[in-house]
Amino acid sequence: MRTTHADDRTTRARLRDTAIEVFARDGFSATVRTIADAAGVSPGLVIHHFGSKEKLRSECDDHVLRRTREVNEASLDVGAGPQAFGGILTTLDTIDEDGPRIVYLIRSLQAGGDMARQLLDHLAGDAEATFRHGVVTGTVRPSRDERARARYMVAQSMGALLVDVVMHPPADWSDAGSILRSYVDRVLVPATEVAVHGVMADESLLDTVLAYREEHDAPTN
Amino acid sequence: MRTTHADDRTTRARLRDTAIEVFARDGFSATVRTIADAAGVSPGLVIHHFGSKEKLRSECDDHVLRRTREVNEASLDVGAGPQAFGGILTTLDTIDEDGPRIVYLIRSLQAGGDMARQLLDHLAGDAEATFRHGVVTGTVRPSRDERARARYMVAQSMGALLVDVVMHPPADWSDAGSILRSYVDRVLVPATEVAVHGVMADESLLDTVLAYREEHDAPTN
DNA sequence: GTCTATATAATGATAGAC
DNA sequence: GTCTATCATTATATAGAC
């Protein structure tokens, strides 16, 4: 923000967007050289603009996170049904314009780190709000611990996507639409079944677990 | 297997076990030097035994996978209740003897690759068998697609663990027991709630999704 | 079997010309 | 702003002595 030349910003932004694409395509072990090649510039220029690879990565993180927050905020009003999939169904509509961003998010979740944690916190907050609203409306079952459930559901749905990607490695990491569509195709029915009915027919299991917890550890409340 | 000296095996095994520990503790980017240091030998010796870092990694994979299959097979008879957690509750009993193996598995799942895929296939097969049995017994609800549900449940439960580790990074990756215990502590109640009752109170959601699928794509059956 | 050099390759980062 | 060297570091892997 302290750069003297006004043209800087445009180049920085272009470089940053290219970096996001390459990170999404090749993973975070992608080299500065690869990014520079993809942008049609020299490796030195990339470092010249961002100081280091780490700072470049950090700027990609910030940008992706910021845009994701914007998009999520905009789509929060829309549908309350598909949130069991972490907003994937909503995402599929706009997938073509910012596919790299979505894949970048997947890779961040997989790689861990601070940015992933912030993203998850954000998603968990949204989920909790949505669930609480659903409980009031009557579409969602109440939970003994709304906060814990929301976090668990986010972990479950995001995690299922991560593991699915391991089970079925995308032939082309550049095609976010294809990745998400094939995932939804595989899980839509079982996920809905489980979300609506659960898996266990024996309801006493819940009592068993609650009793187990009561005696092994002090309850969180 | 074509080594001339009989003593080789002991050293190889010791080196391999050390590598598993270091990979578990530091991740797969751990260097040959670190592994050699941990084993109290020179980096050259490690390469001398395994040919390359990649082959060492491969041997660690094979060993961990083989032992995991053995353990799972042995514990399949025991309890049918906790399988929603991917056998974690069963695992917690023997956690002290082979903690590194468990953490190695987590890191493999996170890193992806062939070994993770084999592991997931194996888990999915076990889960499907357990679920089918549960359906007959009456403890598990039937599904429209048992195979897809089993795979989804494995992805969900393993993935939830992966994401939880990102949300709450372990202070000490060497302490598998602590990692798993804190995870179970966080999710036991919400996971059981969801497994028993599901989340959605509105049962019509399932019909909506099934109808959606009917018109957007040919059913898998 | 094991160690001590050392070769080799890749990568992030710097310096200075243009 | 951008490029062309070039450096410094790090890691795997090799070679040969013991």
Side-chain angles (χ1 to χ4, degrees):
Chain A
M1 291 297 181
R2 202 172 281 184
T3 41
T4 32
H5 304 283
D7 275 7
D8 257 345
R9 282 210 88 199
T10 314
T11 308
R12 278 181 76 106
R14 216 187 85 238
L15 254 34
R16 182 204 56 205
D17 288 342
T18 306
I20 290 174
E21 283 174 32
V22 173
F23 280 140
R25 195 192 59 198
D26 299 353
F28 294 120
S29 59
T31 86
V32 175
R33 279 177 171 78
T34 309
I35 295 168
D37 282 355
V41 300
S42 72
L45 186 64
V46 175
I47 298 292
H48 172 256
H49 273 293
F50 299 95
S52 72
K53 184 189 177 181
E54 201 184 328
K55 285 182 193 162
L56 167 59
R57 168 74 194 282
S58 180
E59 234 175 271
C60 292
D61 279 3
D62 290 348
H63 184 251
V64 166
L65 199 55
R66 183 156 19 91
R67 281 223 43 185
T68 301
R69 286 209 178 107
E70 290 171 10
V71 173
N72 276 13
E73 201 163 338
S75 72
L76 252 192
D77 316 319
V78 188
Q83 83 279 50
F85 306 98
I88 284 185
L89 287 186
T90 329
T91 304
L92 269 176
D93 297 336
T94 62
I95 193 62
D96 287 327
E97 35 188 74
D98 47 13
R101 203 195 84 232
I102 306 299
V103 178
Y104 189 101
L105 286 176
I106 295 179
R107 296 216 108 118
S108 296
L109 249 35
Q110 182 203 29
D114 211 68
M115 186 254 197
R117 220 166 304 127
Q118 290 181 47
L119 172 67
L120 290 168
D121 271 347
H122 176 244
L123 292 178
D126 282 358
E128 188 177 342
T130 309
F131 281 149
R132 286 189 188 278
H133 182 257
V135 169
V136 173
T137 313
T139 57
V140 175
R141 300 181 66 96
S143 166
R144 278 161 192 75
D145 186 341
E146 294 292 352
R147 182 183 143 89
R149 177 173 71 171
R151 299 197 148 239
Y152 176 67
M153 292 300 292
V154 166
Q156 238 189 4
S157 31
M158 291 295 100
L161 174 57
L162 289 189
V163 171
D164 186 85
V165 162
V166 172
M167 275 177 154
H168 309 274
D172 180 10
W173 281 92
S174 303
D175 189 355
S178 160
I179 294 175
L180 291 191
R181 261 186 293 270
S182 74
Y183 171 67
V184 169
D185 205 55
R186 275 189 288 273
V187 305
L188 187 57
V189 168
T192 309
E193 274 187 357
V194 169
V196 170
H197 289 136
V199 252
M200 308 307 289
D202 184 2
E203 303 214 347
S204 72
L205 175 63
L206 183 51
D207 299 324
T208 308
V209 165
L210 287 174
Y212 171 91
R213 194 192 177 79
E214 197 76 19
E215 73 183 48
H216 278 71
D217 205 306
T220 327
N221 330 345
Chain B
M1 292 298 181
R2 203 172 281 185
T3 41
T4 34
H5 305 284
D7 275 8
D8 255 347
R9 283 210 88 199
T10 313
T11 309
R12 277 179 76 105
R14 216 188 86 238
L15 253 36
R16 181 205 57 206
D17 288 342
T18 305
I20 291 174
E21 283 175 31
V22 174
F23 280 140
R25 194 193 56 199
D26 299 354
F28 294 120
S29 60
T31 95
V32 174
R33 275 179 172 76
T34 310
I35 295 169
D37 283 354
V41 300
S42 73
L45 187 64
V46 176
I47 298 292
H48 171 257
H49 274 293
F50 299 95
S52 72
K53 183 189 177 180
E54 201 184 327
K55 286 180 192 163
L56 167 59
R57 168 75 193 281
S58 180
E59 237 176 86
C60 293
D61 280 3
D62 290 348
H63 185 252
V64 167
L65 199 53
R66 184 155 18 91
R67 281 222 45 183
T68 301
R69 285 208 179 107
E70 290 171 11
V71 173
N72 276 14
E73 201 165 337
S75 73
L76 253 192
D77 317 319
V78 189
Q83 84 281 51
F85 305 98
I88 283 183
L89 288 186
T90 328
T91 303
L92 268 176
D93 298 335
T94 62
I95 192 63
D96 287 326
E97 35 186 74
D98 47 15
R101 204 194 84 232
I102 307 298
V103 179
Y104 189 101
L105 286 175
I106 295 178
R107 297 215 108 118
S108 296
L109 249 35
Q110 181 202 29
D114 212 67
M115 186 256 195
R117 222 167 301 125
Q118 291 181 45
L119 172 68
L120 290 168
D121 270 348
H122 176 244
L123 293 178
D126 283 357
E128 189 178 341
T130 308
F131 281 150
R132 284 189 189 277
H133 181 258
V135 169
V136 174
T137 312
T139 57
V140 175
R141 301 181 65 97
S143 168
R144 279 160 191 75
D145 186 340
E146 293 292 351
R147 181 181 144 89
R149 179 174 67 172
R151 299 197 149 240
Y152 176 66
M153 291 300 292
V154 166
Q156 237 189 4
S157 31
M158 291 294 100
L161 174 57
L162 289 188
V163 171
D164 185 84
V165 163
V166 172
M167 275 177 155
H168 309 275
D172 179 11
W173 281 92
S174 303
D175 190 355
S178 159
I179 295 175
L180 291 191
R181 262 185 292 271
S182 76
Y183 171 67
V184 169
D185 205 55
R186 275 188 288 272
V187 306
L188 187 58
V189 168
T192 309
E193 274 186 357
V194 170
V196 171
H197 290 136
V199 252
M200 308 306 290
D202 184 2
E203 303 215 347
S204 72
L205 174 63
L206 184 51
D207 299 324
T208 309
V209 165
L210 287 173
Y212 171 90
R213 195 192 176 78
E214 197 76 18
E215 72 182 49
H216 277 72
D217 205 308
T220 326
N221 329 346

